[in-house]
Each structure stands twice: as C-alpha cells, then as structure tokens.
Amino acid sequence: MPQPELPEPAHPDLDSMLTRKFGKEVANYFSGSPLNRVSFLRTDHPFLSAALRHPTTSFLLFNNLNPLAKDPTKLAYASYQEVRPLIGEDPYAKGEGELIAEYNSTRMIPQLVFLGLDEKNKQGLEWNIYKGAPYFALDVTPKGSIETAANSVIKELQSKGLNFVEGRMHMSLPAAEAAVYAQARALLDWNVRNPFCGQCGQPTLSINAGTKRTCPPADMASLPTSIGSTTSAQPVKSIERPPCATRKGISNLSFPRTDPTVIMAVISHDARKILLGRQKRWPPYWYSTLAGFVEPAESVEEAVRREVWEESGVTLGRVVIHSTQPWPYPANLMIGAIAQTIAGGEEIVLKHDPELEDARWATFEEVSEALKVGTSGLGEPAGEGYKEGNLRLPPRTAIANQLLWAVVGGFLGGEHKM
C-alpha cells in the first residue's frame, strides 16, 4: 500500500526571521488537523446542541477503538440521524452543573467527544464569530445497557458497506484524516481507560464535551455498582461521596494525559555515521532511531542523553529539538531530536538496558540509500529496488524517518545532501 503524503506545515511559504535561521517548519504524520478545536466552547451546551444537529456535522465512530471506514485509506462518517438511536435526542440539553447534580453511576452514557470545526466548509454552523462544519467522535462499542442500541447503529452502517477497520496502526489514511483520527482515538481511549477517579476510586463523569472527567460529589445510585451494568439500582436520594482532592482546584487527574517521549537521530562525533537500533520482534535488517519516555523532573535534552546511554552505551553532547509528532497509541507526544556524541563516546555497550537486540553505526550513504528504497511499516515489504540484506528503515509516516532525512539532507550544515 502506498505511503500517504505528509501534512503541510502551517504557513509553508512564510518568510520570517525564524524560517531563515532554522529552516522550514516540519510537520509529521498525525499532526496538521484541518479542525479548529475551539476548546473554549466545550462547556457551551447551547453551542454543542446546535453543533450536534447541524446538517454539516460529521460523527467519526469507533468500535473497540477501531474507526469506521470505507477502506484502510478512507474514513467514513455518520450523520446525526444515524447515531440518534444511541446518543438520544440531545445529550447536551442540560448544563454540566445539572448533569453533575443528577449523576447516577449505574446509568451508562455513550462517550461523545467534540473535536472541532472545519472552517473550510462554508455551509457549516455559524455561532457568534465562528463558522465551520462540526466534528464529533463517538464510541459505539456494544456494552452494558447501551449494547442493543449500539449494535443497531453498527448493523445499519455495515449494511451500507462500511466497516470498522481493525489494527493498531492506521497509517494509510490521508494526512488530514489521520490527524482527525488521532485526536478522536486518543480522547476516546483516555475516557475508556479512566472510568474511575485516580484519587478516590469512585466512578467519574465525562464533561467538557469529552475532554475532561469529573468526580461528582454525590451519586444517585447505590454504590458500589459496576459501570455498564445492564440493571440499575433502585433510585435513591443522592448519596454524598467521600471528599476527593480532584474537586478542589485544578487536578491533572481530571484531564487527558499526554506522555512525552523522546526519539533521536544520533550522529557520530565526526558527523559521518548515524546510530540505529533494533528490537528482537522487528523484521530482519529493520532498524530505527532510539527512543524512550521522558521521566518526571527531566528535561528533553537530559532524557535524550539518558535514553541513548541506557540503551546503547553511547555518550552524547549537544542535543537539538527538530520536530514533534502526536502518537495516539495511546497518547504520546514524540519529541524528535538530533544529537551528537562527544569525542570518544561512540562505543556501543548493550549491557545496561536489554531493550535492544542490536545497535550499530550506519554511514550517511547507507542511510540515504535505505531512505530511498528500504522504508516500510513493520509488517510490510520494503520498497521497489530494495536488495535483501540491506538496511531497512521506518516509513515517512514515522518521525524517525523525518529525523533521518534531516540528518542526511544537511541539517548539520554539512556536505551530505540528497
């Protein structure tokens, strides 16, 4: 399957002092969303009600985090009329305060997330000074008390030739659709993973159009009752819950998490070789740049140096941030860096962290050739012209590919140009 094009960066033709000094901005796959998130409207329920039912509104549906699609290269969207049997007439008819006051943990509510407005659609919803076609994400996974309604929606869409495309990596979508998919999947996944409060353990309620969860101070149900139960406890007077720290001020337990991850192209001290590593599960000859999570109270530069030393034994000097990539599996922000070793720090030692099966230095020429003919996803064949036994690298939808292109393409100001 052909690799999709990458998104254009914002203002690609803009001439500015920063562009002249640092070069053109780099946009990676899963970024470049066509939607304006208008995050300040997420608590405006009259706006959300209008957006929900506007004729230009699109709903991106997920079943067990698998998106509705026409095929692996094209997402499919549902209309309000098609999802109404599941979500009801208007889940935003009441304000957040009223929904919290009426909270009943035994009542299952389909997870709905407002994604933003496509302002290029001139027929879209007009709201104050904002105009665009609204986009929502909806979890239609059949479970609990909504199982029957969810199955009905799924069967209706499947009768139209649509299906939920399975697989962890949906990297064959056009760039703009990939960005919408990434936002939707990451937020739905976070909601699915956090049905209970991380502070007190009680069930939580999705608010802020699906981008925040709150721990209500009271519950109309008899607790404990599992979320998604098909039988509800007899309604009783709202039961006060124990005190919870998340109800006081701002709490990061209530908002979606994004895990920062560093990924780096490491260059030798003489700027002639690039450090690559491979895991045991990867196909033969398939290598990539090194990567790892940023730890608490650690700068990006420190994380790059630590991860490279732990995984390969190589000692780094200068670290420069190149570009970033959202990665919705489940919620990472890949922070791409280019780093160079110190003199005498290039010896590879794999005895510290056993994550890598192998690490090695590859010449700029070898990497350049692999970027031309040897890139592919993990389960896909190499490109046309590849010779068995030569180096293989990640596809251009991976930030590792972009980092390697930058290095061999002259990011350091050297002579190696493609």
Side-chain angles (χ1 to χ4, degrees), residues 123-169:
Q123 305 304 313
L125 169 69
E126 291 189 54
W127 191 263
N128 296 328
I129 64 172
Y130 314 105
K131 183 176 181 179
Y135 277 68
F136 288 85
L138 175 63
D139 186 355
V140 298
T141 306
K143 54 187 174 182
S145 57
I146 66 169
E147 181 176 0
T148 300
N151 275 324
S152 176
V153 170
I154 290 172
K155 289 179 181 177
E156 176 66 22
L157 292 168
Q158 288 177 332
S159 71
K160 299 177 180 179
L162 305 176
N163 286 290
F164 293 90
V165 179
E166 298 184 1
R168 181 172 177 267
M169 303 291 186

Side-chain angles (χ1 to χ4, degrees), residues 7-16 19 23-28 31-33:
E8 277 285 342
H11 313 295
D13 301 320
L14 179 67
D15 179 38
S16 70
T19 301
K24 183 179 177 180
E25 182 178 327
V26 175
N28 287 291
S31 68
S33 174

Side-chain angles (χ1 to χ4, degrees), residues 298-416:
E298 183 178 49
S299 71
V300 169
E301 292 83 357
E302 289 173 318
V304 168
R305 295 187 185 99
R306 175 184 55 79
E307 283 287 344
V308 169
W309 180 82
E310 287 180 353
E311 293 185 3
S312 70
V314 170
T315 304
L316 299 183
R318 184 75 166 95
V319 176
V320 177
I321 296 174
H322 173 267
S323 62
T324 59
Q325 179 181 35
W327 192 253
Y329 303 107
N332 301 111
L333 178 64
M334 309 293 288
I335 304 170
I338 294 176
Q340 194 165 18
T341 67
I342 62 171
E346 297 168 7
E347 181 183 1
I348 293 176
V349 179
L350 299 179
K351 66 181 181 181
H352 305 304
D353 186 336
E355 181 175 342
L356 296 181
E357 178 190 51
D358 185 38
R360 73 180 185 89
W361 291 101
T363 66
F364 276 35
E365 291 74 20
E366 186 180 5
V367 172
S368 295
E369 179 64 18
L371 287 170
K372 293 174 183 176
V373 300
T375 65
S376 70
L378 284 174
E380 300 169 353
E384 186 178 351
Y386 172 77
K387 295 181 180 179
E388 186 67 20
N390 287 352
L391 177 66
R392 296 181 62 183
L393 294 170
R396 63 184 170 199
T397 48
I399 190 174
N401 181 287
Q402 292 266 55
L403 294 173
L404 294 172
W405 270 104
V407 170
V408 301
F411 183 84
L412 297 180
E415 297 177 355
H416 297 276

